[in-house]
Amino acid sequence: MVSIRKTHSDVVDAAGRLFAERGYHGTSMRALGKELGLLGSSLYSHVDSKQDLLVEVVEEGARLFETSAEDARTTQGTARDRLAALVTGHVTVVLDHVDVARTFLNEARMLDAEHRDRVLDARDHYERVFRSVLADGVRDGSFRSDIDPKTASIYILSVLNALERMTRPGH
Amino acid sequence: MVSIRKTHSDVVDAAGRLFAERGYHGTSMRALGKELGLLGSSLYSHVDSKQDLLVEVVEEGARLFETSAEDARTTQGTARDRLAALVTGHVTVVLDHVDVARTFLNEARMLDAEHRDRVLDARDHYERVFRSVLADGVRDGSFRSDIDPKTASIYILSVLNALERMTRPGH
DNA sequence: AATAGGCAAACGAACGTTCGTTTGCCTAAC
DNA sequence: GTTAGGCAAACGAACGTTCGTTTGCCTATT
């Protein structure tokens, strides 16, 4: 028999894939099971609920971006170096974990209020790292003095978040 | 009697609102009915199917952006003027029709292949207007000669599309 | 001016299907 | 030999949609 027992991690990965592709509400447990060669009901050996799956995927996304930002923030060198680390880190996370990133961006609003608020906090914290590195750069002369860190961080993150859209079929 | 008869347009408007907020698959016909003070079944006096509602909202979005781009493209003046018209036109559409714009951006992928392809074509055409105005501007000296119209159009549209994200509760 | 007919809008119940989830059994892996 | 993973069947709830009926307004006829 070639049947391979699936793990908790297999289920979460497949969930990220389908949530990214069809959305949380567009993904049924039966469809998720089929993606893994299982029945929908069999998933409940690995997971307590569908909502828990979304929580896990979104929190993995939060953790990935958080780690990337923390690494960049503590990078040695100028503020310009740290901004470069932030940007390449973000791109790396998105390209290496497309499905998680897409689910994190688009499906977090389907979470219950408590978890959704945690995601908003995480995003806020992430943006503040960009803003503070930009402010450092303006102060130490890395960047032009007429740059407003808040505006610039929004613009940069806008372009970075647009990366995700380009991973959809038919860019 | 305070009972107000609802129109086809009322239903489409409410659908845009709920699709933007909860997503297409996260919106039930009963919830949509309740939004209007009706039963779910009563909506079928105005509409043939839920899918048709999504088609209508998304196509309205496509039409709004298309019209805005066409107005900007035929604006008198320099390429810089036309780019300004494109940007302000886009912002106006998003701010005046938040729900339609959000549904157009996020829920179009829930359409059947045929309608989805039409949306992709419309987006492609919209981006080409930006690209061509930018190319004109590089040629006539409105913009720096080292600007790549394709890259610049992607960046500009990234920032413009990010507008929508900021209309979500908790920016 | 009164009234009857037609019609679109809305209701309330029910259709068949799918949803997320639970249960009990079987079997492959430890 | 124990146990965890998967199956098959079933649960109640919710889904999109259809049905037959009622409601209230508009209009044409009286």
Side-chain angles (χ1 to χ4, degrees):
Chain A
M1 243 291 205
V2 276
S3 93
I4 311 151
R5 319 259 287 203
K6 300 299 190 267
T7 70
H8 179 87
S9 177
D10 289 334
V11 178
V12 176
D13 286 354
R17 224 175 305 136
L18 291 200
F19 290 168
E21 203 172 287
R22 316 178 189 178
Y24 174 70
H25 288 300
T27 303
S28 72
M29 292 300 272
R30 286 170 177 86
L32 183 51
K34 186 169 276 181
E35 175 83 5
L36 290 158
L38 299 180
L39 294 185
S41 59
S42 304
L43 301 172
Y44 288 87
S45 295
H46 303 281
V47 150
D48 278 345
S49 74
K50 189 189 175 189
Q51 267 288 330
D52 282 0
L53 269 177
L54 181 58
V55 170
E56 264 201 77
V57 175
V58 169
E59 284 190 342
E60 187 191 342
R63 195 179 40 74
L64 285 170
F65 284 115
E66 153 82 31
T67 302
S68 162
E70 193 53 25
D71 287 354
R73 204 177 60 77
T74 56
T75 291
Q76 298 291 347
T78 65
R80 173 177 287 267
D81 294 331
R82 286 197 291 283
L83 180 62
L86 278 172
V87 170
T88 57
H90 188 108
V91 173
T92 303
V93 167
V94 171
L95 295 188
D96 288 356
H97 306 88
V98 200
D99 302 322
V100 173
R102 288 182 63 185
T103 303
F104 176 71
L105 279 173
N106 298 320
E107 305 301 323
R109 60 189 168 130
M110 308 304 179
L111 289 169
D112 57 294
E114 186 200 345
H115 288 101
R116 191 173 51 237
D117 287 351
R118 289 234 297 271
V119 171
L120 289 180
D121 283 351
R123 291 209 191 129
D124 213 57
H125 178 263
Y126 189 66
E127 196 209 313
R128 267 200 301 275
V129 176
F130 275 71
R131 205 152 61 205
S132 118
V133 168
L134 282 163
D136 287 351
V138 169
R139 221 174 291 115
D140 75 7
S142 280
F143 305 129
R144 289 203 331 240
S145 61
D146 62 341
I147 281 179
D148 171 35
K150 177 164 185 182
T151 307
S153 69
I154 290 176
Y155 285 0
I156 292 171
L157 278 168
S158 296
V159 175
L160 289 177
N161 283 335
L163 256 185
E164 170 270 318
R165 276 221 167 76
M166 304 184 198
T167 65
R168 299 185 189 174
H171 36 158
Chain B
M1 237 306 200
V2 276
S3 92
I4 311 153
R5 318 262 285 199
K6 300 300 190 261
T7 71
H8 179 88
S9 179
D10 289 335
V11 177
V12 176
D13 286 354
R17 224 175 305 137
L18 291 200
F19 290 168
E21 202 173 287
R22 318 179 188 176
Y24 174 70
H25 288 301
T27 303
S28 72
M29 290 300 272
R30 285 171 179 85
L32 182 53
K34 186 168 277 182
E35 175 83 5
L36 290 158
L38 298 181
L39 294 184
S41 58
S42 305
L43 301 172
Y44 288 87
S45 293
H46 304 280
V47 152
D48 278 346
S49 73
K50 189 188 176 190
Q51 268 288 330
D52 283 359
L53 269 177
L54 181 58
V55 169
E56 264 201 79
V57 175
V58 169
E59 284 190 342
E60 187 190 342
R63 194 179 41 74
L64 285 170
F65 284 114
E66 152 81 31
T67 302
S68 161
E70 192 54 24
D71 287 354
R73 203 178 61 75
T74 57
T75 291
Q76 299 292 345
T78 66
R80 173 177 288 266
D81 294 332
R82 286 195 292 283
L83 180 62
L86 279 172
V87 170
T88 55
H90 188 107
V91 173
T92 303
V93 168
V94 171
L95 296 188
D96 288 356
H97 307 88
V98 200
D99 302 323
V100 173
R102 289 182 64 184
T103 303
F104 177 72
L105 280 173
N106 299 320
E107 305 301 324
R109 61 189 168 132
M110 308 304 180
L111 289 169
D112 57 294
E114 186 200 344
H115 288 102
R116 193 172 50 237
D117 287 351
R118 290 233 298 271
V119 171
L120 290 180
D121 283 350
R123 291 208 190 130
D124 213 56
H125 178 263
Y126 189 66
E127 195 209 315
R128 267 200 301 277
V129 176
F130 276 71
R131 206 153 60 207
S132 119
V133 167
L134 282 163
D136 287 352
V138 169
R139 222 175 291 115
D140 77 7
S142 280
F143 305 130
R144 288 204 332 241
S145 61
D146 63 340
I147 282 178
D148 172 35
K150 178 164 185 182
T151 307
S153 69
I154 289 175
Y155 284 180
I156 292 172
L157 278 168
S158 297
V159 175
L160 289 178
N161 283 334
L163 256 186
E164 169 270 318
R165 277 220 167 77
M166 303 185 199
T167 67
R168 298 185 190 176
H171 54 143

